Amino acid sequence: MIKSINILYKNSSDLTTAKSQVSSYPENQILIQVYSGVQDQDKIKELHQQLTEHFPGVAIIGTSTAGEIMDARSLDEQILINISLFDDSIVRTHLVKHNEDPVVTGYEIAAALCHQDTKALILFGCGLKNRHTVNGGPLLEALQSKCSNVIIAGGQAADNGKGKTTFVFSKEGFTEQGVVAASISGKKLQANRAYNLSWIPIGKKLTITEAKGSVVHSIDDMSPYDIYAHYLGQEVADGLPLSAVDFPLIIERDGIKMAVHATGVNDDGSFQYIHDFHPGEQLRFGFCHAGLLAIGAQMTHAEARSFNPQALFIYSCISRKWILGADISVELSSLEDIAPSSGFFCYGEYFTHNSGKAYFFSQTMTVLSLSEGDAPLVPNQVASYDPKLEESRQFRTMRVLHRLVETSTKEIDSMNRELAKLASKDSLTGLANRRLFDETIASEIKRHNRSGDSLSLLLVDIDYFKQYNDIYGHLHGDDCLRTVSMIFSKILKRPSDIVARYGGEEFVCILPATSDTNAANLAEKIRSHIEALALPHKGSEISDYVTVSIGALTLADTIDVSPDELFHACDTLLYKAKRNGRNCIEAAIYQSDKF
C-alpha cells in the first residue's frame, strides 16, 4: 500500500505533523518531492535543511515550477511537498550537477538507479540553458536504452514563465544545470502512465524544407515568419514566438501526435523549436477548444482509474496553463476522485509510451500512477467522469466550426491528390512525376540527335527501402522520400535538369548537355550527400543510415534509340550497382550492342 501526503509549506511547523506519520517507515521506503513556485533559492535551501533534519536519510528530489498541482487543483507560487510512503518498495536518488552531455547523463542515471525490480523513474531536469528550453529527447533516449522496462516520468524545471533560471535538487545538493532522479523498485510495485494532448491538427499539411536540429529555416520554402503570417495573420507573426503558442505545430512520430511550439526567433530569421526536425517531415497547425479538452479528460480519467492507483503524479506543460486558463480545471478535476495527487507545471514533460519508448513532450499533461500490493487492473470497473461543461451556444458553434474546417480540409486534400495524378508533379515529393518524365525524355533524345550534345540519365534507388517501411512505417517512409528528393534540388540546379519520381523509391534524372564524366561526378555527389544526411536505417544490410545505388548512363553519339531502350540500359547499370554491394554508382556510355 502507498500512502501519499501533501503539505503546503509555510514554515518548519508544517513538517512536524508529517514527521510523526512517517516515523514507522524505513528511510529507504520514503520519497519526498518538493515542487517550488517560490524561486528564492535561499528559502528553498532553508527548507532543504529542515527536511534533512526532520527526515534524516530520506530520499528527496525537488524542482522549481511554473505552478503546482495538489489533489487535482492548480496552484501558483506555492511550495508543495509530497511525501510518499511505501510498504515494500525501495527508493533511490541520484543527482547530476552538470548536463553538458545528455547521453552520458542518461547512462549515469541508469547505472545508478535502474535495478532488477525498478518499475518507475521520476526525473526532474533543469529546463533552461542560455535562456532556451532544453531538449530533453537525447537524455530520455539514452536512459530508456539502458532501462527498457522502466516507466520514466517527470518534467523539466520551470521558473513561472520568466525564462531565466531553473533549478533542481536532491538531498546531495542543488544545480541550475543538471538532473535529479528517483527510482522506485519493488516486486509488488505497479506503475502505469497516461497522457492527454487534446490539440488536434487542422488545416493543410506543411513540409519542413530546411532545418538543422531544432533550428528551422524554411517551411514550404517560406521563412517560418512568413508561414505564421500567411496562415495565422500579421498580428500573430509580429508577436512571435509567444503569440503563436495557442496554435502549436502538430507532428506525428511513431504514430503519436506531438505539439511543438517555437521558443525563439534567431537573428537570421530562423526559428528555434523545442524539438529537432529534419527536411521532409510534414506537420500542421494545432487547435484546441474546451470540448476537445473534455474528451481528453474523460479518456485520461478512464485510463488512470482503470489502474486502481494509490498515488498519482501529474506533470503538465506550462503552455496548457497559459492557453487554457480556468479550463485547466476540466482535465485536472478528472483525476480528483481517483487517488491523492501532486505534481507541477513544467517546461516539457518526460513520458514513456505504451510502446516502451520514452518521449519528450510539450503542451501535454502526463500522469504517473503507482500502486503497491496484489490488486490487479480493473478495466471493467471504470467510473464514468462528467466534465460538467456548460453546453453554451458558443461551445456548440465552436464544435460545428471545427467539424466544418476539418471536413473541408480533408476534401481539399483529396481533390489535390486527384489533381496531382493528372498534373506533372508527384504529390508526395513535389518532383516531376513519371508522366512528365516520359514526355521529357522523348523530346530530349530528339534534341540530342539535333545538337549532338551529350545526354545523361541517372537512375537512383534507395537501398532496402521496403525494410525501411517495415521498420519505421509508411509515414516515416514518406518523410524519407521527401528528404532524399530535396538533395536532388540542391545539387541539380540547372533549369534544363529534370528530376522525376519514377516509382516507389526510384528517382530518375534527365541531364541534357552533360558528359559521362560530369554525370558520374553528379551521381557521386548525390550518393554522398544522401549518405551524409545520416537518416537512421536499421533494416539496411550495408549501413546504419539511408543510402542509394545509382546507374549513370550517357548518350554521347547520335544514335537511333527509344526512351524505353535508354531507360532499360540505365536500369541495367543500377542493377549492377546493387550487385556490387549497393551504396555505389555504375556509369557507362550507351552502346547498343552492350545493352
Side-chain angles (χ1 to χ4, degrees), residues 396-577:
R396 291 195 300 271
T397 302
M398 185 64 72
R399 188 172 59 194
V400 172
L401 178 61
H402 166 216
R403 178 176 176 82
L404 171 63
V405 173
E406 187 65 8
T407 302
S408 299
T409 300
K410 289 179 180 178
E411 291 177 350
I412 291 170
D413 285 346
S414 178
M415 286 188 291
N416 285 339
R417 285 194 295 270
E418 290 302 314
L419 289 172
K421 293 178 182 178
L422 302 175
S424 59
K425 281 191 175 183
D426 174 60
S427 60
L428 178 66
T429 63
L431 298 175
N433 59 15
R434 182 169 177 175
R435 176 171 173 263
L436 182 59
F437 166 77
D438 291 338
E439 294 174 355
T440 304
I441 189 63
S443 62
E444 288 298 336
I445 290 174
K446 293 178 181 178
R447 189 196 305 273
H448 157 77
N449 287 332
R450 289 196 304 270
S451 67
D453 291 336
S454 297
L455 171 65
S456 292
L457 200 65
L458 306 181
L459 190 55
V460 184
D461 185 83
I462 300 176
D463 295 323
Y464 299 106
F465 190 70
K466 180 183 182 300
Q467 290 85 338
Y468 188 95
N469 274 333
D470 290 343
I471 293 173
Y472 299 99
H474 288 280
L475 283 175
H476 280 285
D478 290 348
D479 287 344
C480 176
L481 291 170
R482 279 188 290 268
T483 302
V484 168
S485 71
M486 290 175 188
I487 295 298
F488 295 112
S489 302
K490 289 183 177 179
I491 294 175
L492 306 178
K493 297 183 178 180
R494 297 184 308 174
S496 58
D497 296 337
I498 298 294
V499 184
R501 183 181 175 205
Y502 192 80
E505 70 273 22
E506 277 191 336
F507 301 87
V508 61
C509 310
I510 304 173
L511 309 176
T514 302
S515 67
D516 58 321
T517 301
N518 288 338
N521 289 339
L522 287 169
E524 174 56 26
K525 197 172 182 180
I526 291 169
R527 186 206 64 78
S528 62
H529 273 61
I530 291 172
E531 186 177 34
L533 289 171
L535 297 176
H537 189 351
K538 294 180 181 178
S540 174
E541 297 179 14
I542 57 167
S543 174
D544 292 332
Y545 305 110
V546 168
T547 60
V548 295
S549 301
I550 304 177
L553 181 69
T554 300
L555 189 59
D557 300 324
T558 301
I559 192 170
D560 185 18
V561 59
S562 70
D564 285 345
E565 289 171 330
L566 197 64
F567 183 87
H568 173 73
C570 195
D571 190 44
T572 300
L573 292 173
L574 172 61
Y575 183 70
K576 186 176 180 182

Side-chain angles (χ1 to χ4, degrees), residues 13 17 31-32 62 72 158 187 226 245 338 362 374 381 390 415 439-440 462 500 518 556 565 577 586:
S13 63
T17 303
L31 172 62
I32 296 177
K187 291 183 178 179
D226 289 339
V245 73
I338 298 176
S362 60
D374 300 323
Q381 300 178 28
E390 182 182 353
M415 286 188 291
E439 294 174 355
T440 304
I462 300 176
N518 288 338
E565 289 171 330
E586 283 294 328

Side-chain angles (χ1 to χ4, degrees), residues 183-492:
S183 67
I184 310 171
S185 309
K187 291 183 178 179
K188 294 185 177 181
L189 182 69
Q190 297 183 54
N192 197 22
R193 64 293 214 193
Y195 77 103
N196 180 20
L197 176 60
S198 294
W199 265 258
I200 62 164
I202 196 167
K204 68 165 286 189
K205 288 182 179 179
L206 308 171
T207 302
I208 298 289
T209 45
E210 186 177 356
K212 186 174 183 180
S214 61
V215 178
V216 175
H217 293 272
S218 67
I219 303 173
D220 275 2
D221 292 318
M222 298 168 64
S223 72
Y225 176 90
D226 289 339
I227 282 288
Y228 283 94
H230 181 71
Y231 289 103
L232 302 183
Q234 194 64 45
E235 182 180 355
V236 171
D238 290 341
L240 289 166
L242 289 179
S243 58
V245 73
D246 289 25
F247 298 93
L249 298 174
I250 305 295
I251 187 166
E252 187 170 320
R253 288 176 172 164
D254 304 320
I256 301 170
K257 289 183 174 64
M258 302 169 63
V260 185
H261 61 272
T263 59
V265 180
N266 301 319
D267 292 339
D268 62 358
S270 62
F271 277 29
Q272 190 85 34
Y273 287 86
I274 198 170
H275 287 279
D276 290 347
F277 291 102
H278 66 75
E281 284 191 301
Q282 288 196 313
L283 36 76
R284 296 163 74 184
F285 281 108
F287 173 69
C288 179
H289 58 71
L292 293 170
L293 191 66
I295 294 170
Q298 288 174 325
M299 295 174 65
T300 304
H301 173 272
E303 188 165 358
R305 178 67 183 85
S306 68
F307 184 68
N308 200 21
Q310 297 157 358
L312 297 175
F313 301 105
I314 304 168
Y315 311 102
S316 184
C317 185
I318 179 57
S319 297
R320 296 180 81 81
K321 189 176 183 181
W322 286 342
I323 297 166
L324 299 173
D327 285 339
I328 196 73
S329 63
V330 172
E331 64 179 1
L332 290 179
S333 61
S334 70
L335 303 170
E336 188 174 14
D337 64 341
I338 298 176
S341 62
S342 66
F344 73 109
F345 291 96
C346 48
Y347 288 167
E349 307 78 62
Y350 305 145
F351 184 78
T352 299
H353 191 260
N354 293 336
S355 64
K357 185 172 180 178
Y359 290 91
F360 179 54
F361 283 156
S362 60
Q363 296 198 202
T364 305
M365 184 187 78
T366 65
V367 182
L368 172 66
S369 304
L370 295 181
S371 65
E372 209 176 37
D374 300 323
L377 302 184
V378 285
N380 295 324
Q381 300 178 28
V382 176
S384 62
Y385 166 68
D386 181 1
K388 298 181 176 63
L389 279 175
E390 182 182 353
E391 184 75 348
S392 66
R393 180 176 180 181
Q394 183 180 13
F395 171 58
R396 291 195 300 271
T397 302
M398 185 64 72
R399 188 172 59 194
V400 172
L401 178 61
H402 166 216
R403 178 176 176 82
L404 171 63
V405 173
E406 187 65 8
T407 302
S408 299
T409 300
K410 289 179 180 178
E411 291 177 350
I412 291 170
D413 285 346
S414 178
M415 286 188 291
N416 285 339
R417 285 194 295 270
E418 290 302 314
L419 289 172
K421 293 178 182 178
L422 302 175
S424 59
K425 281 191 175 183
D426 174 60
S427 60
L428 178 66
T429 63
L431 298 175
N433 59 15
R434 182 169 177 175
R435 176 171 173 263
L436 182 59
F437 166 77
D438 291 338
E439 294 174 355
T440 304
I441 189 63
S443 62
E444 288 298 336
I445 290 174
K446 293 178 181 178
R447 189 196 305 273
H448 157 77
N449 287 332
R450 289 196 304 270
S451 67
D453 291 336
S454 297
L455 171 65
S456 292
L457 200 65
L458 306 181
L459 190 55
V460 184
D461 185 83
I462 300 176
D463 295 323
Y464 299 106
F465 190 70
K466 180 183 182 300
Q467 290 85 338
Y468 188 95
N469 274 333
D470 290 343
I471 293 173
Y472 299 99
H474 288 280
L475 283 175
H476 280 285
D478 290 348
D479 287 344
C480 176
L481 291 170
R482 279 188 290 268
T483 302
V484 168
S485 71
M486 290 175 188
I487 295 298
F488 295 112
S489 302
K490 289 183 177 179
I491 294 175
L492 306 178

Side-chain angles (χ1 to χ4, degrees), residues 7-15 32-38 40-55 60-63 78-82 167 169-170 174:
I7 302 169
L8 272 182
Y9 172 83
K10 299 299 180 184
N11 52 57
S12 60
S13 63
D14 295 324
L15 303 178
I32 296 177
Q33 298 181 70
V34 181
Y35 313 105
S36 178
V38 174
D40 183 349
Q41 288 196 33
D42 290 336
K43 185 169 184 178
I44 302 306
K45 288 177 180 177
E46 180 183 343
L47 166 62
H48 182 269
Q49 182 178 349
Q50 294 170 5
L51 286 170
T52 55
E53 289 174 354
H54 280 77
F55 310 101
I60 300 170
I61 60 172
T63 178
Q78 302 290 318
I79 298 177
L80 170 62
I81 300 173
N82 174 266
F167 60 85
F169 59 91
S170 72
F174 281 71

